[in-house]
Amino acid sequence: MYKEWEKIIQMAVRNIKRNKRRTVLSIISVGLSIMLVVVLQGLVDGLVENIIKNSIKNETGHIRITTKKYFEEINSPSSQQIVYNPESVLGYILSDVNVSMKIEFVTERIKFPVLLQYSGNNKTAVCIAGDSEKEKKLLMLDKSIIEGEYLRNKLVVKGNKKYREIIIGKKLAKMLNLKVGDTFPLMLSGIDFGVRIPSFYVRGIFETGLNMFDENVFMMNIEDAKYVLRTNGGVHEILIMIKKYKEAEKVAKYINSLLLKKDEYKNLVASDWKTTGGFVKMMYQALKIYNFLYIAITFLGSFIITNIILMTILERKREIGILKSMGFKKVQILMLFTFEGMVLGTVGSICGALLGILISIPLSIYGIDFSSSMSNMNFPMDNIVRWSINLASILSSVLLGILVSSIVSVLPSRYASKMKTVDALKSV
Amino acid sequence: MEGQLVLKGVRKVYTKGNIFIEALRNINLEIAKGEFIAIMGPSGSGKTTLLNIIGCLDIPTEGEIVYNGEQLTNLKEDTLAEYRKNNIGFIFQSYNLLPVLTVKENIELPLVIDKTISKRERETRVMELIEKVGLKGMENRYPNELSSGQEQRVAVARALVKKPLLVLADEPTANLDSQTALEIIQIMKQMNEIENTTFIFSTHDPQIEKFAKRIIILKDGMINSDTKISQ
């Protein structure tokens, strides 16, 4: 059995070498399509990683504990969906060693939409209130301050008045004409439905490079938010960051099982980043479409192999006849030509992948600046997108190239295997 | 009888559009093991068609082919391939060597698909035949590095390497000069005598005719004469 396949492989390889120009042409065609797939995959992987990173950082954490109805009221300025006693909830969850050993850190957030008004300008915005120290590891706005300072967690005394501090996105500040050191009143509706108009002091202006953030978000200390919204110590979200983010779904499930055991926590739910991250879900849908696109590109590039194998078969009809007269079976003839296509596909795919990696390396270091096209988009994507070089994706592209080349070779090879021996021998 | 090949009422009709060409008509033949048969006749008389049908490369429109008591007419393609692999060697007018394989590789190719033959036996048989057909020292040459006579020697060795019971040769010397043709036919004759292999060959060559033990003359797809030669 082995010697027979060894000979078929040997013949296939030698036949490939027979017409070098044709071989090079098919390798180039497959190579270009796989190169395109690798580069495109690098871009898409880079985008997805970027969006996942930003979604986790800004929106979902790895796991987010909220009330079950939180997402129904997420856009309400006075959402009643509060997690009360977050410390007790966390204490209960973290007392379970299966959870605590997997957790890196936890933080709490209050998020609410508001209408910001200042010097005749107004703009809807979102306030993210968090623990200013812990958020240095998550939102990381301390690293994006371009004017003024990051939150100091102190009241600001100006004249005889005390102000709570905020930091604000650069574009949002520009739209409202707010500057560092300015103070402004903010009309808020608390969860007790009482309307209050506290004043805030602009401690700093940040620029993250993320339009969605720079145009819409301002941040305050969570204790200030608890006070102005009268949440009685409650928060909207408890964000949990775990050591291995891929385990988020499993850990969230486990936390849910813990929450269900206590009556007072039965209204709470833990969701992993994939479940509640709207943009992440969208990207995963898009990835499925991209996978079809990769397959289509590979097929287009590989169809030249069908042509070349068919041409080869027509030229080598007589040889097929000789092999059949010797007793070669249909499957052996089929394999001989399919293997030729497979070899072309393998060499083309490897060359294409290497070329794709070469192109992707500088793109992964320097990236491409999409700021001009992203300026009006509310998408959790950095302005500079860097390609991701993922070994598994590259390997899958190479395997896709080999598989598709083999598939497209089968069709002409079947024609060869079904050829009548006597007709094949007659051909010149 | 062992190794006996019988053709009963074989007819072969080719169709080209609406035209029917009757290539063979009512062929009845009995061929015993070890015969050395020349099939002769003018061009278009059906020599090649007859060889193709005997070699199971083509199937008759009517009639039966029985080998060793086994009916071959209704066998499936892969079964016929197995039958050819085990029993028949072919020699073609235009040698039909595979250009990507060396002399040695061309000769050993029929053995490669035979699971019953070990590598050592394969080597031995191939080297023996290379010596017998006078190609020693040329084992690693490719067909394009050989003369026509040498190519046909390779083709003869390839047909004989699996020790077939039957060798079919379609005008094996047509493209060779008379001296080389004689050498080729002598090799075939030698194999016929030593191995008792049945040889059936079509030819126009009167030189080869002299070596035949039986001469079948075809005319218009029919057997015109079937003569056994006593030597």
Side-chain angles (χ1 to χ4, degrees):
Chain A
M1 186 75 179
Y2 168 71
K3 63 182 179 186
E4 158 192 335
W5 292 111
E6 188 190 357
K7 184 56 73 181
I8 286 174
I9 291 167
Q10 185 193 48
M11 282 164 68
V13 171
R14 288 197 194 166
N15 278 321
I16 287 167
K17 288 181 188 166
R18 217 157 137 184
N19 196 326
K20 291 194 176 67
R21 196 175 299 173
R22 208 182 283 171
T23 301
V24 168
L25 185 71
S26 36
I27 287 173
I28 288 175
S29 173
V30 177
L32 284 177
S33 63
I34 295 300
M35 182 205 78
L36 192 63
V37 169
V38 168
V39 174
L40 195 63
Q41 219 166 24
L43 167 67
V44 173
D45 285 354
L47 280 175
V48 172
E49 281 172 20
N50 190 266
I51 287 166
I52 288 175
K53 179 198 80 183
N54 285 327
S55 286
I56 288 173
K57 196 163 73 84
N58 305 336
E59 193 188 349
T60 63
H62 289 147
I63 297 165
R64 176 160 55 165
I65 298 174
T66 60
T67 64
K68 284 178 180 166
K69 288 185 176 173
Y70 173 66
F71 296 102
E72 292 170 22
E73 292 182 25
I74 198 163
N75 293 321
S76 163
S78 55
S79 169
Q80 301 293 305
Q81 300 306 319
I82 299 289
V83 180
Y84 291 103
N85 290 320
E87 299 82 10
S88 319
V89 177
L90 280 171
Y92 167 62
I93 291 167
L94 296 179
S95 65
D96 190 304
V97 71
N98 290 325
V99 180
S100 59
M101 65 189 287
K102 294 194 170 175
I103 283 175
E104 202 179 338
F105 72 95
V106 290
T107 188
E108 297 151 18
R109 276 185 191 167
I110 294 174
K111 275 190 211 165
F112 54 96
V114 286
L115 181 70
L116 287 180
Q117 288 176 308
Y118 187 71
S119 63
N121 302 307
N122 58 61
K123 166 86 174 69
T124 52
V126 175
C127 174
I128 299 180
D131 181 315
S132 56
E133 281 308 305
K134 286 182 180 173
E135 290 292 358
K136 283 181 181 175
K137 286 194 277 181
L138 196 57
L139 272 178
M140 293 187 275
L141 291 180
D142 56 316
K143 292 187 178 76
S144 307
I145 297 291
I146 51 163
E147 278 178 58
E149 292 172 281
Y150 182 62
L151 297 172
R152 280 194 197 168
N153 214 2
K154 275 182 186 170
L155 288 173
V156 178
V157 182
K158 216 175 172 186
N160 56 358
K161 277 189 88 177
K162 287 180 181 171
Y163 298 90
R164 295 173 202 283
E165 57 180 352
I166 62 142
I167 52 171
I168 187 165
K170 184 188 169 189
K171 289 181 182 174
L172 183 59
K174 198 177 172 189
M175 280 179 220
L176 295 167
N177 205 21
L178 274 170
K179 292 176 188 67
V180 173
D182 285 346
T183 57
F184 65 100
L186 186 58
M187 193 164 76
L188 293 171
S189 167
I191 65 151
D192 59 352
F193 298 109
V195 177
R196 291 166 197 90
I197 311 175
S199 288
F200 290 89
Y201 172 82
V202 180
R203 174 78 77 188
I205 293 175
F206 61 81
E207 185 178 22
T208 59
L210 200 67
N211 284 318
M212 193 184 180
F213 235 69
D214 297 341
E215 274 182 19
N216 297 299
V217 172
F218 69 98
M219 184 190 174
M220 69 170 74
N221 287 307
I222 193 156
E223 293 308 322
D224 291 341
K226 281 179 188 172
Y227 176 76
V228 296
L229 293 177
R230 303 292 193 271
T231 65
N232 292 327
V235 295
H236 284 136
E237 302 172 349
I238 298 173
L239 299 185
I240 299 174
M241 299 302 285
I242 57 174
K243 288 167 188 160
K244 292 177 187 168
Y245 80 101
K246 283 184 179 168
E247 288 183 357
E249 194 181 343
K250 212 171 82 185
V251 178
K253 225 175 192 175
Y254 188 77
I255 292 174
N256 278 327
S257 71
L258 291 177
L259 292 173
L260 281 174
K261 284 179 191 163
K262 279 220 162 192
D263 281 346
E264 61 263 47
Y265 300 146
K266 276 185 177 164
N267 69 325
L268 302 181
V269 64
S271 322
D272 64 280
W273 58 274
K274 269 189 193 174
T275 319
T276 56
F279 287 109
V280 173
K281 272 200 266 186
M282 197 177 85
M283 283 316 290
Y284 274 101
Q285 285 297 322
L287 272 184
K288 285 180 191 163
I289 297 167
Y290 275 113
N291 285 338
F292 279 111
L293 188 67
Y294 302 148
I295 294 170
I297 294 171
T298 312
F299 262 102
L300 282 177
S302 302
F303 268 127
I304 197 163
I305 290 182
T306 312
N307 260 324
I308 280 171
I309 298 286
L310 190 62
M311 219 186 288
T312 308
I313 286 166
L314 294 175
E315 277 175 11
R316 282 166 38 200
K317 260 183 162 180
R318 207 182 178 87
E319 282 176 41
I320 296 166
I322 301 163
L323 294 172
K324 286 193 152 195
S325 73
M326 278 180 205
F328 272 70
K329 290 183 180 167
K330 277 184 188 174
V331 66
Q332 290 164 326
I333 304 283
L334 178 91
M335 282 315 294
L336 175 67
F337 288 98
T338 305
F339 195 79
E340 285 185 28
M342 202 170 159
V343 171
L344 291 173
T346 306
V347 178
S349 301
I350 292 170
C351 293
L354 290 175
L355 203 61
I357 293 170
L358 277 181
I359 295 171
S360 300
I361 287 173
L363 292 168
S364 72
I365 297 168
Y366 303 109
I368 288 186
D369 191 348
F370 285 95
S371 43
S372 56
S373 52
M374 291 289 294
S375 58
N376 294 315
M377 282 174 74
N378 278 334
F379 208 65
M381 193 178 98
D382 293 338
N383 283 340
I384 294 176
V385 175
R386 288 180 176 82
W387 266 238
S388 165
I389 300 178
N390 183 333
L391 202 65
S393 297
I394 293 165
L395 202 64
S396 69
S397 308
V398 172
L399 290 177
L400 180 71
I402 297 170
L403 181 72
V404 170
S405 305
S406 309
I407 292 170
V408 297
S409 310
V410 168
L411 208 65
S413 306
R414 265 169 64 88
Y415 166 70
S417 72
K418 286 183 172 179
M419 209 177 271
K420 280 188 177 173
T421 316
V422 71
D423 294 337
L425 280 168
K426 270 183 207 162
S427 68
V428 182
Chain B
M1 208 161 75
E2 203 210 337
Q4 191 190 37
L5 182 74
V6 181
L7 275 78
K8 291 181 197 168
V10 168
R11 180 173 177 248
K12 179 70 189 177
V13 179
Y14 291 112
T15 48
K16 276 188 179 173
N18 293 328
I19 304 164
F20 294 90
I21 301 158
E22 203 168 13
L24 293 177
R25 305 177 204 190
N26 194 31
I27 301 288
N28 292 292
L29 271 178
E30 279 187 21
I31 298 164
K33 186 168 166 38
E35 285 202 76
F36 200 74
I37 304 171
I39 298 175
M40 304 187 75
S43 294
S45 59
K47 299 189 294 294
T48 302
T49 307
L50 181 58
L51 284 179
N52 286 342
I53 283 176
I54 293 172
C56 295
L57 296 176
D58 205 354
I59 46 169
T61 314
E62 277 175 29
E64 289 177 5
I65 307 164
V66 181
Y67 179 74
N68 256 349
E70 191 189 353
Q71 173 73 254
L72 301 179
T73 329
N74 299 319
L75 295 179
K76 284 186 176 171
E77 208 188 314
D78 273 353
T79 318
L80 286 175
E82 190 72 19
Y83 167 75
R84 286 196 296 268
K85 185 187 89 183
N86 296 330
N87 301 298
I88 306 175
F90 291 92
I91 302 168
F92 302 97
Q93 182 182 338
S94 49
Y95 331 127
N96 283 350
L97 302 180
L98 295 183
V100 291
L101 301 182
T102 62
V103 166
K104 191 180 163 205
E105 288 165 346
N106 260 294
I107 296 172
E108 80 175 345
L109 193 57
L111 299 182
V112 166
I113 51 169
D114 193 335
K115 296 177 182 78
T116 60
I117 296 168
S118 69
K119 194 178 176 186
R120 183 178 289 181
E121 195 185 341
R122 201 165 83 203
E123 282 281 316
T124 316
R125 279 205 210 174
V126 171
M127 293 318 288
E128 267 175 19
L129 269 168
I130 285 178
E131 201 165 342
K132 273 184 190 163
V133 297
L135 291 172
K136 204 171 175 200
M138 299 183 185
E139 297 89 338
N140 297 321
R141 288 198 190 173
Y142 284 91
N144 62 0
E145 297 166 334
L146 301 174
S147 68
S148 304
Q150 286 165 339
E151 280 195 78
Q152 195 59 305
R153 282 163 199 259
V154 178
V156 170
R158 184 179 65 184
L160 295 169
V161 74
K162 57 190 174 187
K163 296 186 177 166
L165 298 166
L166 173 66
V167 173
L168 300 170
D170 190 7
E171 306 208 25
T173 58
N175 293 343
L176 304 175
D177 62 75
S178 57
Q179 182 54 39
T180 315
L182 195 63
E183 283 167 19
I184 293 290
I185 204 74
Q186 274 169 344
I187 293 168
M188 288 164 57
K189 184 72 185 167
Q190 201 184 3
M191 292 297 166
N192 169 249
E193 282 164 2
I194 298 168
E195 305 282 346
N196 200 27
T197 309
T198 310
F199 275 81
I200 306 173
F201 51 92
S202 66
T203 187
H204 288 290
D205 191 342
Q207 194 179 219
I208 295 179
E209 192 188 328
K210 287 180 217 159
F211 288 86
K213 290 180 194 168
R214 182 177 170 188
I215 297 174
I216 297 167
I217 297 175
L218 289 182
K219 193 181 175 191
D220 299 329
M222 291 173 74
I223 296 175
N224 198 30
S225 70
D226 183 350
T227 318
K228 290 197 174 171
I229 316 281
S230 49
Q231 289 170 339

